Amino acid sequence: LYDKVIFVCRDNICQSPAAVTILNSIKKDEWLEVSSRGLVVLFSEPYSMKIHLSLYTSDAADEARSV
């Protein structure tokens, strides 16, 4: 059994942070550590606002939180 999940994408500004947000919203185990990393990160960039808005304003996000 694992206690850590790491999502990886190229720049760490869209897919893997979105996956972290979704998993954190539906996980039931508080001991599970969820994080994201990028493969090609030359300098820190902000989280993509497009994915942030789609995660927090969509019906899918509400459904995921209610599971």
Side-chain angles (χ1 to χ4, degrees):
L1 191 61
Y2 298 102
D3 60 352
K4 189 180 291 188
V5 175
I6 301 173
F7 291 100
V8 179
C9 68
R10 192 184 75 177
D11 297 321
N12 198 35
I13 61 170
C14 192
Q15 289 96 350
S16 59
V20 168
T21 301
I22 292 167
L23 184 56
N24 277 330
S25 72
I26 62 174
K27 74 177 184 179
K28 297 190 184 347
D29 301 316
E30 293 300 319
W31 52 265
L32 183 62
E33 181 183 341
V34 184
S35 61
S36 69
R37 299 289 183 263
L39 294 176
V40 183
V41 180
L42 301 176
F43 51 90
S44 181
E45 292 194 34
Y47 188 47
S48 169
M49 286 308 295
K50 287 182 182 179
I51 195 71
H52 176 80
L53 290 173
S54 68
L55 283 171
Y56 289 103
T57 60
S58 72
D59 293 333
D62 293 336
E63 289 175 21
R65 282 189 214 102
S66 68
V67 170

